[in-house]
Amino acid sequence: MVTKSLYGFILLMVGLMLYSCQPFPKEVKRGMYYWKSNEPSLSQEELGLLQELSVEKLYVKFFEVEPDPVFSAKPISKTRLRPPALNLEVIPTVFIHNEALKDIEAAEIDSLASNIHFLCTKYYHQLFSKISPSFSEIQLDCDWTPTTKDAYFQLIRSLKQQSGKRISCTLRLYPYKYQDQMGVPPVDRVTLMCYSLTNPLAEEAVNSIQDNERLEAYLRPARKYPIPVDIALPLFSWALWYQNNQFAGILRTDLDAFRGILEPIQPMWYQIQEDTMVGASFLRRGDKVKLEEVSQKETLQTLELLKKYVHFNPTSTITLFHLDVQSTNHADTEMLDQYFTAFQQ
Amino acid sequence: MACGPYYPYGEDVRFSLLDPSLFELNGYEAFIYSANGIPGYEPEAQQLGRAENIELWYQWAECKASKEDIEKAVYQFDEYPDLNEQNNSFLAYLSSKKAARAYLKFAQECSPFNRSLQDPWEREEEDVDSRRQKRIDTAIKRMGEVQDLALKRRYAFLAIRLAYYQGRADLVSSVWNQLFKGQQTKDILYHWSLYFKTELDPIDAQRNLQAAQVFVNAPDKRFKVRLSFDTNVPTDMVMELVENDQDRAAVWLIEGVGKQGKNLDALKEIYRLAPDHPGLEFLLLREVNKLEDWIYTPYYTEFYPAMYPEDRPYPDNTSLMYQRLQGDRAYAKEVLAWVSSVKAKKRPQPLLWQMSKASLLHMTESPAKALKVIKRIEKKGGDDPGVIHWVQQMKALCLIAADKATPASLPAPIRYKLIADQSGFSTQFLFALARTLEFKGNTTDAAVFLSLVNGENAWEEGAVFWKTKQRHQTLYADFYGDYFYYLDAQYTPEQLVAFLEEIEAAKHFQAPFKQWQYDQIKEDLPRLYDLVGTKFLRRDQLEKALFYYEKVPVGFWKEYPFSDYLDRNPFYTNLYNETGYTAADTVIYTKPEIIRLLLAYKKNAADSQEPQQDYYHFLVANCYLNMSYHGNAWLMRRYYWTIANNGKTMLEDDDEYLNATKAKEYYLKAKEVTKSEAFAALCLRMAGRCENYALRNKIIDKEGFYYVNWNQKQEQLLNSNTAYAQLKKEFPQHYDELISNCYSFERYFATYDQE
């Protein structure tokens, strides 16, 4: 019996080695996103997690850009975070609503790039200078479409030219796969987002945060993206709350706080057993929730798929989304550590 | 999120039966009497302001374009991108009016700048300012160039509005002086411009006068301009500047709509100065709603009014509340006298006056007169379902209030009308009906209607909360939102029995009214039997209590709250245990089982031939102790346990519940009849435990629950305990062990068997 198992294991390993022909990164930088807007400081737990995981790069959402009739585009949800001195690099990250690029005139793109650079620099010096006196990279996050592609790419070029910084951007799986249609952004690096592949409300039986089957469909066949690829993995959970079978909201909270009042009705789906307040939401008995959680086992499988299909440069960054002790759901730091070392195994 | 438990206040307690939405509010809806302050939501006012501007355009276009088309072109161009001269009569009219087309285009371009803007990119550049300034300059330039006076005034208005957002009081004044100052045409453009000028003017009497003018004449600016009206400026000074009665009435009105106190003077003055003033009806309605709060809220709910112009926070003094109630009724009579002096028929909304009059008559305890007015309202008919419901509701309340018989009852014809339109009743009406019946001695019908109050909507918006006159506190606080707990606090066992007999009889009723009435309650029968049994238990009428407990289906006792709070052996306790688990809790009982056993043990205890007479006295004492606030079967006497108010509920057995007096009595009886020295000592120790509770309660009463330092009171408690003194005197050899060793109980109790 033992011999048979061992034989099977060896066969599997040999198979994997033969199949895993993509170059792995020799060095993995450890990154984390910080996406909250209203918090003035990192909590002790968040600081502890950064330290325990030896995070080297913190991508902080500085603000979002949305369309505006007077200013063409304006920043909202601005960061207030003022962290203490930390041994890591802060990368100002800007989320750009695709609508902000829809009707923007060519002449206004340079102005927008200038504004983004101005505000990133201002906030960095105001809030993050304890960490280091300057920054060398700006990351843009945008779900661009074919109609906004030109404006977005022009914005990237303009931002790079005006700031003189390294520019990176996030990359959804769709533009990763369909480069002809979606173009290749003129950035220095892309961060491939390996989560949230579907609309959370679209499919009852699918975990919209983590779905390796769909992920593999996007990654296959193995290829080399024209620009160095980093990756982002999910580190959050949420509950989709339904009253009378109507979607009532997303509960971004510590799911353990109300797990005790849930009765399972089908995979991922639960019924509320007693009236309960979760944050500001009043959950009534009989309401349903869909718990979409990130499984550590599945995340390791995600990493295996990435190893299998993605061509990495010698140095890559793995970034976890996102630093928030409530939604990280008491993640086991030893297990999280494995995400960063998986490519070396 | 609030910290601590919910306690109703503000709109949750404000009582009102006259719904303002039944009437034409003439754009004053933002000032409806409400404890939520000024809501600031004024869709009707916004629409009125817009309508006046559309009318101006309509007249300008020689009535050749439809008002709908004007509205689309001026206000809704974003929603209709396909608007053109072919499908819009106003644009068609403008086809040959180049200057007007240019104006509209320019006005639309200016629209985004009509708000306070700061550069969101924080460059501290004056980009927005410069862009807005360009438009101000353009508006002023075109104002000078355009020939058409109407367009000239419109450009002037645009310039004033932009200059206001630019903070350029100088430009606002200069444009105002050029185009509007001293003009006879006081249309909406004039008043809109006056609004922006007023906002930037220094606070003084002139500014208040302008605010009053804007308030009356620019409905869509009412809410904001009311905030600019400074009540610290003496009204006399404002009145000195006034040149006509309309403006004088406007000052009374703007002052009156925000006033929390009495406002009859304003009503009288506006009526005298400007009898046709469109704000008069609204102000009267507001005064009636105010009086409803002052009178109905304390009368029906025993809460202080949601809003009262003085003494915040209110003192916890019910007699003061009743004194005020009388004073407020006297004021209601004054308002009533004035309302009666006005000929309702000649007013634009006669119904509002008549319904106000009927309400005031009801509030001033003249239900028979109110019924006459209601009859007149009813005769005139009208098909507004809101008015029809109001008539039925007020008629029902007045008929009961006017009924000279005791107990009063609801006449049959009213019953059928009520059921026919049950969905239209407000919760507050049903509650008022229940309370009126209760106050007039018909506690049975009162309980029936009370059971229909709140229902499944308890604790949601629109629910009613009330207190008992005695301020019972049988739940976590001194208010109720559920009929069951109110009956628990307020009703005597006899009143409840009568109510239960009515429900039992109602099972046979086929009449739809009865079926409707009892629909809610019949599900509650087991709870009500339990309640009446509990009420008899509180009087120690155990046989009667058992009679009602036995009517309860057995399964009921297995449910919450009994499953959670009646899950210990009530015949066992020791020196220290209160509600915690003990080894004796392998046996638990339902309420009827406890009473049956208690009766049996009492019988044995009373039997002098019973060899274990002392033991039965001890078991009875244990049971009484456990049924107290300090025991494991408190649910026998109460439906809620809390340390709030130190457990005091104002129920008739509070002394027994809190001080365990019967338990002490039975422990002492056990001591008297026992032949065992050790058991006698134990009985005194247990009697001392009961006495200790009573002594503690006395200290709390004197010093306040949260202020007692118990470490300093231990000696006092020990020394003043007569049972412990007796223990020390009669059984000194057992005293230290029983007093100091918490675990001595089992040993002493075991001696009973051995001896």
Side-chain angles (χ1 to χ4, degrees):
Chain A
M1 197 64 190
V2 172
T3 314
K4 197 174 173 185
S5 296
L6 188 63
Y7 179 68
F9 178 73
I10 291 165
L11 267 184
L12 178 71
M13 292 307 291
V14 169
L16 277 174
M17 285 168 72
L18 286 173
Y19 202 66
S20 305
C21 56
Q22 300 305 310
F24 297 168
K26 291 195 172 67
E27 186 191 353
V28 169
K29 296 263 187 196
R30 295 164 173 240
M32 190 80 94
Y33 280 102
Y34 184 84
W35 217 247
K36 291 186 279 188
S37 301
N38 296 320
E39 299 297 327
S41 57
L42 294 166
S43 68
Q44 284 307 313
E45 290 93 335
E46 286 162 351
L47 284 168
L49 198 61
L50 288 175
Q51 199 171 12
E52 281 176 46
L53 292 175
S54 306
V55 170
E56 298 154 273
K57 298 170 93 173
L58 187 63
Y59 291 83
V60 179
K61 188 185 78 177
F62 273 32
F63 51 88
E64 298 176 15
V65 176
E66 69 164 22
D68 182 84
V70 173
F71 299 98
S72 171
K74 71 170 183 189
I76 57 163
S77 304
K78 297 169 178 176
T79 188
R80 296 171 60 208
L81 187 68
R82 192 187 289 270
L86 295 168
N87 184 25
L88 46 72
E89 179 189 357
V90 167
I91 294 102
T93 304
V94 178
F95 175 65
I96 298 171
H97 292 253
N98 190 41
E99 292 71 24
L101 301 173
K102 268 185 183 159
D103 297 315
I104 196 164
E105 291 174 19
E108 289 174 322
I109 293 177
D110 286 346
S111 165
L112 177 58
S114 165
N115 284 334
I116 290 173
H117 176 229
F118 172 83
L119 208 53
C120 285
T121 308
K122 181 177 174 181
Y123 285 175
Y124 190 90
H125 289 140
Q126 275 181 358
L127 305 171
F128 299 91
S129 55
K130 275 188 191 165
I131 292 176
S132 81
S134 63
F135 60 100
S136 53
E137 177 184 345
I138 297 174
Q139 183 166 96
L140 299 182
D141 179 27
C142 178
D143 295 342
W144 82 88
T145 54
T147 54
T148 57
K149 179 183 74 176
D150 291 343
Y152 183 48
F153 290 2
Q154 177 55 34
L155 177 70
I156 292 169
R157 280 189 284 268
S158 181
L159 184 60
K160 184 162 179 63
Q161 189 198 357
Q162 294 192 50
S163 68
K165 311 276 185 198
R166 262 197 333 269
I167 306 295
S168 62
C169 77
T170 56
L171 186 69
R172 301 290 185 277
L173 284 150
Y174 187 84
Y176 172 79
K177 179 155 186 161
Y178 301 102
Q179 292 168 31
D180 291 345
Q181 183 193 358
M182 300 299 289
V184 175
V187 289
D188 298 300
R189 300 188 75 86
V190 292
T191 299
L192 187 61
M193 319 298 272
C194 304
Y195 53 88
S196 295
L197 308 180
T198 50
N199 178 344
L201 308 183
E203 292 176 68
E204 204 174 276
V206 171
N207 181 335
S208 72
I209 300 175
Q210 194 170 45
D211 181 355
N212 279 334
E213 203 175 314
R214 265 166 223 249
L215 176 74
E216 186 170 16
Y218 277 119
L219 296 177
R220 202 169 44 217
R223 80 195 76 185
K224 184 176 189 312
Y225 196 75
I227 292 169
V229 175
D230 297 320
I231 61 168
L233 299 171
L235 184 62
F236 65 98
S237 301
W238 61 32
L240 306 172
W241 167 38
Y242 290 78
Q243 283 192 316
N244 299 324
N245 292 324
Q246 296 290 315
F247 176 67
I250 292 183
L251 308 172
R252 296 170 206 271
T253 182
D254 180 357
L255 300 185
D256 286 343
F258 71 114
R259 218 177 278 270
I261 56 153
L262 300 180
E263 186 185 58
I265 44 180
Q266 64 190 68
M268 289 189 285
W269 285 85
Y270 298 83
Q271 192 148 358
I272 303 284
Q273 293 301 293
E274 58 186 74
D275 294 354
T276 308
M277 288 298 295
V278 174
S281 306
F282 183 34
L283 276 58
R284 306 300 303 261
R285 185 176 175 193
D287 288 357
K288 289 176 188 168
V289 292
K290 181 185 178 191
L291 294 194
E292 297 198 325
E293 299 181 88
V294 171
S295 128
Q296 290 165 333
K297 185 179 155 203
E298 293 233 353
T299 306
L300 289 173
Q301 283 172 358
T302 301
L303 284 160
E304 287 304 317
L305 290 171
L306 290 165
K307 281 161 81 173
K308 186 171 164 186
Y309 293 113
V310 180
H311 181 112
F312 288 99
N313 276 33
T315 302
S316 280
T317 302
I318 293 179
T319 307
L320 304 181
F321 185 91
H322 63 129
L323 181 58
D324 175 6
V325 284
Q326 273 210 322
S327 63
T328 51
N329 210 14
H330 312 302
D332 175 350
T333 44
E334 279 184 31
M335 183 58 89
L336 296 183
D337 203 60
Q338 285 185 33
Y339 299 166
F340 294 120
T341 55
F343 282 161
Q344 273 82 50
Q345 288 161 5
Chain B
M1 292 301 297
C3 302
Y6 171 75
Y7 197 85
Y9 70 100
E11 283 297 282
D12 289 351
V13 299
R14 186 171 73 84
F15 217 88
S16 176
L17 297 170
L18 190 61
D19 180 357
S21 70
L22 293 176
F23 308 103
E24 176 62 57
L25 300 176
N26 295 323
Y28 289 97
E29 67 268 28
F31 304 95
I32 285 171
Y33 188 78
S34 160
N36 288 339
I38 295 173
Y41 178 62
E42 40 179 8
E44 190 184 322
Q46 293 300 322
Q47 190 52 42
L48 285 173
R50 179 183 284 204
E52 288 193 34
N53 188 31
I54 291 167
E55 180 65 27
L56 267 189
W57 277 115
Y58 180 70
Q59 295 299 333
W60 177 85
E62 305 164 282
C63 310
K64 288 179 179 168
S66 75
K67 289 182 183 176
E68 291 75 20
D69 283 354
I70 293 171
E71 182 165 22
K72 279 183 187 172
V74 175
Y75 287 105
Q76 300 169 348
F77 49 90
D78 283 344
E79 297 166 37
Y80 299 96
D82 301 333
L83 278 185
N84 56 47
E85 292 167 9
Q86 276 71 47
N87 61 22
N88 186 287
S89 57
F90 186 55
L91 292 180
Y93 179 80
L94 291 183
S95 61
S96 60
K97 315 275 182 190
K98 193 179 168 191
R101 286 207 314 273
Y103 166 78
L104 273 185
K105 187 169 182 295
F106 178 68
Q108 287 161 9
E109 281 170 20
C110 291
S111 184
F113 294 90
N114 293 329
R115 52 184 166 137
S116 297
L117 294 168
Q118 285 183 325
D119 175 13
W121 291 105
E122 304 178 21
R123 283 176 167 268
E124 292 158 15
E125 290 174 359
E126 296 187 349
D127 184 45
V128 177
D129 284 357
S130 65
R131 292 162 79 178
R132 190 192 281 118
Q133 189 59 47
K134 272 185 202 165
R135 284 161 177 80
I136 296 171
D137 296 343
T138 305
I140 293 173
K141 184 166 170 276
R142 292 193 190 178
M143 179 184 90
E145 290 170 354
V146 74
Q147 296 302 310
D148 184 330
L149 181 61
L151 294 181
K152 205 180 266 293
R153 295 175 83 247
R154 287 193 178 276
Y155 275 117
F157 164 64
L158 287 186
I160 286 175
R161 183 165 61 181
L162 288 165
Y164 162 79
Y165 288 108
Q166 192 80 328
R168 293 289 302 272
D170 57 329
L171 288 179
V172 169
S173 276
S174 76
V175 175
W176 171 263
N177 290 341
Q178 282 181 63
L179 261 292
F180 294 110
K181 191 179 179 184
Q183 293 295 307
Q184 290 303 308
T185 309
K186 293 185 176 173
D187 54 18
I188 193 72
L189 288 177
Y190 173 93
H191 287 107
W192 280 347
S193 300
L194 182 59
Y195 163 72
F196 291 112
K197 176 178 157 32
T198 302
E199 291 288 301
L200 292 181
D201 278 351
I203 294 171
D204 59 12
Q206 178 61 35
R207 186 175 190 255
N208 268 12
L209 173 58
Q210 290 171 190
Q213 291 166 334
V214 172
F215 185 78
V216 170
N217 296 298
D220 50 339
K221 301 295 178 204
R222 262 175 205 153
F223 171 64
K224 284 187 175 172
V225 87
R226 177 62 181 75
L227 302 175
S228 306
F229 182 82
D230 194 322
T231 49
N232 294 318
V233 176
T235 308
D236 292 349
M237 287 175 65
V238 184
M239 290 299 188
E240 277 174 22
L241 302 173
V242 170
E243 291 174 353
N244 58 55
D245 284 348
Q246 286 294 331
D247 283 354
R248 208 163 274 121
V251 175
W252 279 107
L253 185 65
I254 193 171
E255 205 174 49
V257 291
K259 203 168 175 181
Q260 283 196 18
K262 297 171 183 174
N263 214 15
L264 180 56
D265 287 349
L267 282 166
K268 286 179 175 173
E269 280 300 296
I270 294 169
Y271 183 61
R272 185 179 67 80
L273 296 164
D276 298 330
H277 201 293
L280 183 64
E281 265 70 20
F282 174 78
L283 208 58
L284 168 62
L285 185 61
R286 193 174 184 280
E287 203 64 1
V288 174
N289 285 155
K290 187 188 294 173
L291 279 164
E292 286 186 316
D293 182 30
W294 293 359
I295 293 168
Y296 286 156
T297 305
Y299 178 71
Y300 287 127
T301 72
E302 294 284 331
F303 275 93
Y304 267 90
M307 284 188 288
Y308 209 79
E310 50 196 58
D311 288 343
R312 284 167 181 260
Y314 303 126
D316 185 18
N317 181 343
T318 49
S319 66
L320 177 66
M321 191 175 84
Y322 298 137
Q323 279 169 27
R324 283 179 176 174
L325 182 55
Q326 289 314 310
D328 293 336
R329 280 204 169 110
Y331 172 61
K333 279 184 183 166
E334 289 177 43
V335 178
L336 173 64
W338 176 74
V339 169
S340 302
S341 73
V342 175
K343 287 195 172 151
K345 281 182 198 167
K346 296 191 173 173
R347 299 301 310 172
Q349 298 190 68
L351 258 185
L352 185 150
W353 291 82
Q354 288 170 322
M355 287 164 76
S356 297
K357 188 175 176 182
S359 295
L360 289 163
L361 282 164
H362 180 247
M363 279 187 255
T364 51
E365 298 179 304
S366 301
K369 288 181 182 170
L371 280 168
K372 286 182 187 168
V373 180
I374 292 166
K375 204 171 174 184
R376 286 203 289 274
I377 297 168
E378 201 175 13
K379 256 188 186 175
K380 283 191 190 126
D383 52 4
D384 183 334
V387 175
I388 293 168
H389 277 123
W390 179 88
V391 163
Q392 288 178 13
Q393 293 179 10
M394 289 306 289
K395 206 168 162 183
L397 293 177
C398 290
L399 277 169
I400 301 165
D403 192 344
K404 291 199 169 68
T406 305
S409 59
L410 192 60
I414 292 290
R415 293 180 175 226
Y416 290 102
K417 282 200 171 170
L418 287 179
I419 185 175
D421 289 313
Q422 53 185 277
S423 58
F425 303 142
S426 71
T427 304
Q428 289 198 334
F429 160 68
L430 284 173
F431 179 74
L433 190 64
R435 292 293 263 181
T436 310
L437 286 162
E438 184 187 343
F439 298 157
K440 297 280 284 181
N442 187 345
T443 53
T444 294
D445 276 350
V448 172
F449 281 109
L450 211 52
S451 75
L452 301 173
V453 167
N454 293 348
E456 289 177 1
N457 296 325
W459 312 107
E460 288 180 8
E461 201 176 335
V464 181
F465 302 103
W466 69 99
K467 304 180 185 194
T468 68
K469 282 194 186 300
Q470 300 88 332
R471 299 293 184 268
H472 287 97
Q473 189 169 337
T474 55
L475 301 172
Y476 73 87
D478 64 344
F479 71 92
Y480 297 90
D482 179 300
Y483 86 105
F484 178 84
Y485 296 110
Y486 177 71
L487 299 188
D488 172 38
Q490 184 67 47
Y491 274 41
T492 64
E494 291 74 21
Q495 286 171 330
L496 256 186
V497 167
F499 173 54
L500 273 169
E501 283 170 358
E502 178 82 3
I503 302 172
E504 283 168 350
K507 282 182 200 166
H508 311 295
F509 291 148
Q510 295 302 313
F513 184 72
K514 288 282 178 195
Q515 287 188 358
W516 168 64
Q517 274 187 314
Y518 291 100
D519 195 38
Q520 308 282 328
I521 321 177
K522 61 188 179 198
E523 301 294 324
D524 281 346
L525 259 179
R527 288 177 86 200
L528 292 165
Y529 287 135
D530 169 35
L531 178 61
V532 73
T534 300
K535 280 184 175 285
F536 280 118
L537 168 63
R538 287 175 189 157
R539 288 186 175 178
D540 208 35
Q541 295 176 354
L542 301 184
E543 286 84 359
K544 281 189 178 173
L546 185 59
F547 173 78
Y548 285 99
Y549 285 151
E550 283 180 336
K551 283 173 174 270
V552 177
V554 177
F556 179 77
W557 305 115
K558 292 177 180 162
E559 304 289 328
Y560 183 87
F562 312 102
S563 55
D564 286 30
Y565 297 113
L566 204 60
D567 58 346
R568 301 279 188 270
N569 184 347
F571 294 96
Y572 179 82
T573 187
N574 51 37
L575 298 186
Y576 54 89
N577 189 66
E578 292 196 337
T579 55
Y581 185 80
T582 70
D585 293 336
T586 50
V587 189
I588 57 171
Y589 304 103
T590 63
K591 279 193 174 185
E593 287 168 347
I594 291 170
I595 298 301
R596 257 184 241 119
L597 274 173
L598 184 59
L599 281 166
Y601 292 166
K602 280 180 100 168
K603 191 178 170 194
N604 292 345
D607 183 358
S608 57
Q609 302 303 310
E610 165 60 51
Q612 290 187 303
Q613 198 186 4
D614 52 353
Y615 179 69
Y616 284 113
H617 272 114
F618 196 86
L619 291 183
V620 170
N622 281 352
C623 186
Y624 276 115
L625 178 55
N626 273 320
M627 291 195 297
S628 79
Y629 176 78
H630 314 284
N632 63 22
W634 57 265
L635 193 61
M636 294 296 287
R637 289 186 182 277
R638 296 290 181 271
Y639 288 94
Y640 193 86
W641 192 99
T642 173
I643 60 161
N645 209 25
N646 192 34
K648 269 189 196 167
T649 60
M650 301 297 289
L651 289 173
E652 60 184 326
D653 65 336
D654 256 7
D655 180 44
E656 172 57 34
Y657 179 60
L658 295 170
N659 300 326
T661 47
K662 277 202 186 305
K664 183 183 169 191
E665 185 187 318
Y666 275 93
Y667 283 129
L668 289 176
K669 280 183 185 168
K671 184 257 172 190
E672 289 305 315
V673 296
T674 190
K675 294 181 176 63
S676 159
E677 177 191 307
F679 192 66
L682 178 64
C683 290
L684 283 174
R685 171 66 178 84
M686 293 302 290
R689 178 182 159 189
C690 299
E691 193 174 332
N692 193 49
Y693 289 131
L695 291 168
R696 282 171 65 95
N697 287 330
K698 269 188 190 165
I699 292 171
I700 290 167
D701 282 348
K702 197 174 164 194
E703 299 184 22
F705 183 74
Y706 294 103
Y707 304 102
V708 183
N709 182 342
W710 290 110
N711 288 333
Q712 292 173 2
K713 299 288 178 191
Q714 292 311 314
E715 205 175 325
Q716 180 191 335
L717 281 171
L718 208 57
N719 292 339
S720 48
N721 191 313
T722 58
Y724 289 159
Q726 193 180 350
L727 173 62
K728 193 171 191 177
K729 187 179 169 195
E730 293 183 24
F731 307 105
Q733 67 279 27
H734 299 296
Y735 179 80
D736 284 343
E737 178 69 357
L738 278 166
I739 293 292
S740 313
N741 186 349
C742 295
Y743 299 100
S744 57
F745 179 88
E746 280 75 14
R747 212 165 52 250
Y748 274 81
F749 191 63
T751 60
Y752 181 85
D753 289 337
Q754 290 159 14
E755 290 175 14

